Amino acid sequence: MADLSPLYLYKETRVNLEQANPGSAIYIHLTAHGGSNNSSRALLRRQQDSENAQAEDEQSFIDKFTASSASIYFRQSHKYPRSFLWRVLEDGKVLEVRSVDLSKAEQEKDEAALTLKFVFSSAIRPAGVALSDPTKRDLLNVFVLTSSNDLYTLSLKPDFFSRSEATEASTSSWCRTFLPSSFSLRYPHRLYACNAEELFISLHDGGLLRLTRKPEDDGSQWRESLFTEGNWGSSIRGFIPWKGQNTIRYGDIDLEQTTVTSVVTSPSKSHIYTVSLNHTLKAWNLSTGKISFTKDLLNKERQPQELAKYLIDPATPQLIQVLNIEGVLPGNRHHIVTYSPIGAGQFKFWAVDESREGIEDLYPDDGFTAPEPLSSSSDVWSMAQFKITSANVGPNVDIWILWKNNTSSQIRNSSFDVTDLPRTWSTGWIATASETVNEAPRPVLSDLDPSDTSDQWLEYLFFPGRFTRATLETSLSVYLSSNKDIRPGRSVSKSTTLKERLCYAVASLVILGRSNAGNMDYQRYRRDTHAQWQRLWRTAVGIEKRRGEAISLVYDDYSYMPWVITIDGVSAIRECSDTELLWHNHSTMQEFEELLRVRAPHRRIGKRSRMQPNHLAGLVNAATLFRDGFSEPLEYACKATLESELLQDPSYSASARIRSFYDRCNFAGQIGDEEYNQLINALKDCGGVKELDNRLFLGVLETIGQDNLEEGHMLISTSFGAKILVQGAEETIYQNLNILFSLLVLVVFVAVEIDSDEEPLEYLDAAKIYIKLLRLLKEYVVLQWLAKTSRPLIPAMSVGDHDLDKRTNQRTDLLDKSHHYVPNAQSTLLQSLFISFWKFPPALPEFPLSSVLTYAFRCWISSIPLLNSYNTVVPNVMCNLLREGNLDLALGFLQYLPNTAWATYLKGRLYTSRKDYSLAAIHFKKAAFGLAKGRSRAVGPSESNGLLDLLEVKDLSNNGFPRYYLHILTLFEQCKAYSFVADFARLAMHFVRSGDDDDLRSQILSRLFYASIYTCDFDEAYMSLTQFPDTVLQKAAITTLLTTMMSQNFTSQLLSFPFLGLYDTVDAILSSLCQKILNISTGPPYHKVLYAFRLSRNDFRGAAAVLHQRLQRLRTSSISSKDSHNEVVTQGYLSLINVLASVEPSQAWLLAEGYNGISKRRVVTLEDVRKEYQEELDREAMIENNQFSFAGVGDEMDVL
């Protein structure tokens, strides 16, 4: 057992502390004691994270972005917000406080999403922060002790964390300072808050300073009491401190060996227990001020010369804890647990009787040492912190231990009987597994993979939660400083994205050269690019490892869950799911099956399939080992083949597909005897290859799903809870996908290589398991894409809601309430699409939060009905992407759309948005029958997810081809793709029947007409307008046709149109246009067209009338009066005479209006026209002879 890997029953879910909303961090500057805090408005400012998102090097990153100390405080009132994370940042000058509650009640309107950052004028002392909450007021008290010995009391109201206006009040109303007089001669070492009205400060000389105040006091005054080993008093005036010879240097202070480093209070609050640097446990009576008892931490007598060996490091945060377990110790006694960090480290369990002020070592002959984590011989692990928890009744208690080795850390847990420690202490130690999603293999350069190297690295580096933006910015800064040849400032603007700057920096150091043969050496260029990305990645990994250093362990007694706080993150310690138990313990499940049954009796792994957990773990182990042995070509071939299997509709039987999978991956050539024998040996853990059973595979698969509990009193997830939920979901998806893929390749290999006709496997139906695995893989491939793909944060909208109006209202509410909304914030698609209406189950004693959290991850994923409603959910996601304009993301998601009519239509919508109209038209036509006349369920508002309005939904709800094509042509019309509008209008007209609605016919013909006008297809335009059922629309269309064709010089084609039954309408429109023309010489030739139109219809007198009208307009213009050589008028007269001469003499007349200045209508004969023609000739001759007329038109001509 000593060398055996531990049982992993818990798992760590770590989240970064980047602001989900960059505008939610509020900096508040506080003055020192004696200063004025009244001008708080000038001292408060909101700072965007992007302002200082990078550091020059790794050390400056640590100084700027990571915490020197941090913890989580859980309020006793249990009101929201109740969980507060505090961190000391920026060389101790900044204290950050934020809410880290995972959920809140539905009646809580505002979310505590703000982060308060208090800036102090002096650095905060180590161990100089303590939090408490009053019992009678809804406040959070933050006590801060600075290097200038100022004690700050911050009384923060809950709305400080939800409304920025609340912090704009006068700082003096919630921030008070106090300078203890005791600090004039002594130095503080640690601050401890017993409650909101009582503080203890350990002093460098071994004394304790007790500060008390009344509940109504604001913290500006405290009553000081000094506790020393000699005596104590309410006043310390005149007390002269002394300094011993043997001191311990800590920072800039010399600490006496009696200095207190750990403080706890007794259950009755009448005593305090302390541990000093000299390895001593003391009990102080708060009533008398005397020491009740003193004990060595290991209950040993020390010789004077040995004392130096047992001195404790002053930085050790915790060495003692009080346990108050009812019914275990007789009388009023309670337990004290102490830890001695000397040597291997030992725990001691004591029984204390406060009334008699006595203490008893419960196990004087035993020292309890926690086993260190398994590691190499060179690793040195030290216990950083421990927490012991109990249910307050019964002897069983749990212990949580945080082990550290440099920047690495591990959590160990054990459950034991406090009344039978020697027997139960060493058994039952379990471990906490770390996440695997962020430890995914980095991109590998492969000749088989044609994708771009930079694209692979960008996807890896920007995988959500893997690296923070500050980490990547700092890595880039370090990378640039180590390569002086890069000058990004000359070519990259400030607005350039981080991805673009990374690509530019890498590309600047890579040169595309030539090979020895003189050709462009693309292979070497690709290798060099990959090598540069690796350099950048190593820098980021180095920073990330330091960010993961744990600094504290806390336990929430209300929700029953431990937390680990790192220097730049928070980790929730939760129970492993059944799948995770099989994954992390796949090689040791048989040895720990009994321990699992004792520690997790609620687990029922393999219950439905009636298989033993060790057999299920053995199958997972065999599949994992088998796939781990794949060569690079085989792994790539399996992934490529799986992708084609998932994204193509099956056209062959399952057996044929298994055989095809086997052949395409070339298992026969890639798996040798060694790999085969290794697989056979691994399968022995699940009963052997001949015992492979459907139930074995189904037993593993049943652990992947999660049944939903009844909703009951569910809670709303907070933004921080959503971050934890998304991170846990990403881990679950990544791990389940790996297991499913490993099982699939195992089934393929076993089905072909082992399950032969000669020796078939009796209990294994490989084809059935293969199909089930493919269905699950299809679901998880989509989930993985959603989990790794991010977009700018928008108010989330669930894709599962069935009421469009309700969803729209909820979206509006989110927009109204999101007063910290910043468009540049990022969120994964998994979060933005599916988390908005998810509700958290509450934590209960029988369902601690560590279990509820795991349930929430799995239940949330299972609530996305991809498995049973793939053809509905996936198109719904595409609708959201199209609606929000995420076209690049939609193009990447296109491969997952099913081959349904609705999904095909969405493909057309995507191509329309990308202006690829030809492809869009193809897909719209393919989807026509299914949406216009199909028998499938009509498209509803929920399916369109806001992409379509109610009228558009009606057009796609099996409402006939005309309305479907009308909807499609409207889409193209919005894009001004008029040739496609015309195409689909013709298709729509093809399906219009005589009995159909005239309004529908008019809409289609109108769209067809105007599309034809835009594309200059005037033949089609003419044919469409002749079919208009509405005469008003028809008249407007004729006007448009006439004006457009004349303006574009298509008059000949216009005159060729017969206009059957429309002669009078066309003639009237042309006549009206002639009347409206302002300048006859430069305007459109409406008169000429009307003349030609009438002439082509043998209306000679009508043609003559329009010619005569034109002549009268010309004679009044400047053309005829100033240019004697202009033949426009004379030619017009000749044309008019020619037309009138073409009819019978008795008909050679016309009716003219306004002739020669006379407003009355009159008859003009052919002889009158000839006379006017002769007068025009005489006038032009006189002008040529310089004889000009001075009279107006119509007067007698006077000449010079």
Side-chain angles (χ1 to χ4, degrees), residues 183 186-189 201-209 226 259-260:
F183 293 163
R186 295 177 175 82
Y187 300 104
H189 175 53
I201 302 175
S202 64
L203 305 175
H204 81 287
D205 61 354
L208 271 176
L209 177 63
L226 184 65
T259 300
V260 173

Side-chain angles (χ1 to χ4, degrees), residues 189-256:
H189 175 53
R190 285 186 177 274
L191 171 66
Y192 170 75
C194 177
N195 52 55
E197 291 82 36
E198 185 177 20
L199 306 179
F200 288 94
I201 302 175
S202 64
L203 305 175
H204 81 287
D205 61 354
L208 271 176
L209 177 63
R210 183 189 187 190
L211 300 177
T212 57
R213 62 168 179 162
K214 297 179 180 179
E216 62 272 12
D217 290 344
D218 57 8
S220 58
Q221 294 295 326
W222 293 83
R223 180 175 180 272
E224 301 181 44
S225 301
L226 184 65
F227 291 71
T228 63
E229 293 191 27
N231 52 29
W232 72 283
S234 59
S235 175
I236 59 171
R237 295 176 184 176
F239 186 86
I240 301 177
W242 59 275
K243 176 181 177 181
Q245 298 297 322
N246 298 323
T247 58
I248 303 172
R249 188 71 177 178
Y250 182 60
D252 56 353
I253 302 177
D254 291 313
L255 301 176
E256 296 291 337

Side-chain angles (χ1 to χ4, degrees), residues 525-720:
Y525 177 81
R526 195 176 184 216
R527 289 194 302 270
D528 293 345
T529 302
H530 182 74
Q532 292 300 324
W533 279 110
Q534 280 188 311
R535 289 183 55 195
L536 187 63
W537 166 75
R538 291 191 186 97
T539 304
V541 168
I543 296 174
E544 194 67 18
K545 285 183 177 179
R546 297 196 64 178
R547 286 185 62 250
E549 180 181 355
I551 51 178
S552 66
L553 167 69
V554 296
Y555 187 88
D556 185 1
D557 293 311
Y558 179 71
S559 60
Y560 316 102
M561 191 174 79
W563 296 79
V564 173
I565 297 90
T566 65
I567 62 175
D568 193 24
V570 174
S571 295
I573 308 301
R574 60 178 180 85
E575 282 192 16
C576 288
S577 66
D578 290 348
T579 313
E580 289 168 335
L581 282 173
L582 297 178
W583 173 264
H584 292 293
N585 303 286
H586 55 74
S587 61
T588 58
M589 181 61 76
Q590 185 172 1
E591 289 78 4
F592 290 119
E593 192 169 357
E594 178 60 25
L595 178 59
L596 177 62
R597 186 187 64 80
V598 173
R599 291 299 311 273
H602 56 285
R603 294 303 179 87
R604 295 291 187 269
I605 302 178
K607 179 181 179 181
R608 294 180 182 176
S609 60
R610 299 181 181 180
M611 300 300 295
Q612 295 297 322
N614 62 308
H615 285 177
L616 299 179
L619 179 63
V620 173
N621 183 49
T624 303
L625 290 176
F626 180 60
R627 186 179 160 208
D628 288 344
F630 283 5
S631 61
E632 179 186 323
L634 179 57
E635 178 75 11
Y636 180 80
C638 288
K639 289 182 178 179
T641 305
L642 174 64
E643 182 177 352
S644 64
E645 277 283 279
L646 295 177
L647 303 181
Q648 294 180 5
D649 285 339
S651 54
Y652 300 98
S653 65
S655 299
R657 293 164 66 187
I658 291 176
R659 183 70 201 193
S660 174
F661 197 113
Y662 178 88
D663 293 336
R664 290 164 65 184
C665 296
N666 190 23
F667 277 102
Q670 293 288 337
I671 301 298
D673 293 340
E674 182 179 353
E675 292 82 6
Y676 180 85
N677 293 331
Q678 184 181 16
L679 173 61
I680 297 300
N681 291 330
L683 288 173
K684 293 179 180 178
D685 292 337
C686 55
V689 65
K690 293 300 181 181
E691 297 299 322
L692 285 178
D693 189 349
N694 280 2
R695 294 184 303 149
L696 200 59
F697 286 89
L698 296 176
V700 176
L701 298 184
E702 76 180 22
T703 66
I704 291 178
Q706 177 65 60
D707 296 331
N708 294 350
L709 296 176
E710 294 183 4
E711 185 168 316
H713 300 286
M714 304 296 268
L715 305 174
I716 298 176
S717 175
T718 64
S719 57
F720 184 79

Side-chain angles (χ1 to χ4, degrees), residues 977-1140:
Y978 295 109
S979 62
F980 293 93
V981 174
D983 290 342
F984 281 94
R986 284 189 288 268
L987 283 172
M989 285 303 302
H990 179 74
F991 291 97
V992 173
R993 298 293 178 257
S994 58
D996 288 342
D997 185 12
D998 286 345
D999 182 62
L1000 174 63
R1001 182 188 297 270
S1002 296
Q1003 288 188 58
I1004 298 174
L1005 289 172
S1006 177
R1007 304 292 182 83
L1008 176 58
F1009 170 78
Y1010 285 104
S1012 301
I1013 290 293
Y1014 280 113
T1015 57
C1016 295
D1017 187 358
F1018 298 115
D1019 290 333
E1020 185 70 54
Y1022 169 75
M1023 292 300 297
S1024 61
L1025 73 84
T1026 60
Q1027 303 176 60
F1028 274 32
D1030 190 331
T1031 56
V1032 176
L1033 291 177
Q1034 188 179 54
K1035 184 177 180 180
I1038 293 173
T1039 304
T1040 302
L1041 179 67
L1042 295 176
T1043 55
T1044 303
M1045 294 188 71
M1046 285 187 284
S1047 65
Q1048 298 186 18
N1049 298 322
F1050 284 90
T1051 307
S1052 299
Q1053 185 179 0
L1054 173 64
L1055 296 174
S1056 68
F1057 294 149
F1059 290 107
L1060 296 177
L1062 300 173
Y1063 174 79
D1064 293 338
T1065 303
V1066 175
D1067 190 275
I1069 293 173
L1070 287 173
S1071 299
S1072 175
L1073 292 173
C1074 291
Q1075 295 295 331
K1076 295 177 181 178
I1077 190 170
L1078 298 177
N1079 193 328
I1080 192 67
S1081 60
T1082 60
Y1086 294 145
H1087 292 82
K1088 290 183 179 181
V1089 175
L1090 181 56
Y1091 162 76
F1093 178 75
R1094 291 176 175 177
L1095 201 62
S1096 65
R1097 270 68 178 175
N1098 296 325
D1099 184 5
F1100 293 100
R1101 287 175 57 188
V1106 74
L1107 277 179
H1108 186 268
Q1109 182 185 6
R1110 181 172 180 269
L1111 282 173
Q1112 302 311 306
R1113 298 282 297 273
L1114 285 173
R1115 291 187 66 186
T1116 60
S1117 67
S1118 60
I1119 295 178
S1120 61
S1121 62
K1122 294 184 178 181
D1123 190 356
S1124 63
H1125 299 286
N1126 195 314
E1127 299 180 352
V1128 174
V1129 177
T1130 57
Q1131 289 295 329
Y1133 274 110
L1134 289 175
S1135 298
L1136 179 57
I1137 294 170
N1138 188 40
V1139 172
L1140 288 177

Side-chain angles (χ1 to χ4, degrees), residues 26 32 142 147 170 177 257 324 343 519 589 615 715 780 799 921 928 1132:
I26 298 180
V142 181
S147 58
S170 175
T177 59
Q257 295 181 4
N324 188 23
N519 301 321
M589 181 61 76
H615 285 177
L715 305 174
Y780 274 90
V799 301

